[in-house]
């Protein structure tokens, strides 16, 4: 069982620049980290998964809930990761 599945996903930017071409992959349920160099597409993947942007072709299927930390985090040092993800009640 997979929590997130990309099936032949293609993403082309409005100016015609290709971003993803025929990507098929799956992420298992549980915590998954995505790491990579700046500009490598990590935020774009998350936007596809959350539905903030739609693929040009193919499908992204999400089973269950997905959480992510925004790049522009607040500077409130009292916030925990659970606070930032909005899941404090579930982990307390």
């Amino acid at each position: 069982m997979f929590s997130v599945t990309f099936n032949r996903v293609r993403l082309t930017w409005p100016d015609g620049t290709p971003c993803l071409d025929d990507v098929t992959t799956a992420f298992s349920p549980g915590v998954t980290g995505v790491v990579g160099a700046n500009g490598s597409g990590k935020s774009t993947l998350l936007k596809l998964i959350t539905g903030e942007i739609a693929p040009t072709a193919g499908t992204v299927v999400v089973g269950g809930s997905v959480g992510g930390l925004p790049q522009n985090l607040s500077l409130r040092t009292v916030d925990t990761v659970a606070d930032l993800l909005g899941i404090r009640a579930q982990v307390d």
Side-chain angles (χ1 to χ4, degrees):
M1 178 172 143
F2 293 103
S3 183
V4 177
T5 304
F6 282 59
N7 186 22
R8 302 199 71 180
V9 171
R10 175 173 289 126
L11 179 64
T12 304
W13 295 121
D15 69 358
T17 304
C19 179
L20 298 173
D21 186 27
D22 201 30
V23 173
T24 297
T25 192
F27 299 94
S28 299
V31 177
T32 299
V34 179
V35 295
N38 289 343
S40 63
K42 301 177 298 293
S43 294
T44 300
L45 277 176
L46 186 57
K47 288 176 183 179
L48 284 164
I49 292 168
T50 61
E52 186 176 334
I53 60 175
T56 306
T59 58
V60 178
V61 178
V62 179
S65 62
V66 175
L69 291 175
Q71 290 184 14
N72 54 348
L73 297 176
S74 68
L75 296 176
R76 291 173 30 111
T77 58
V78 296
D79 288 339
T80 66
V81 172
D83 292 324
L84 295 170
L85 287 172
I87 60 169
R88 187 187 231 346
Q90 289 90 332
V91 296
D92 278 346

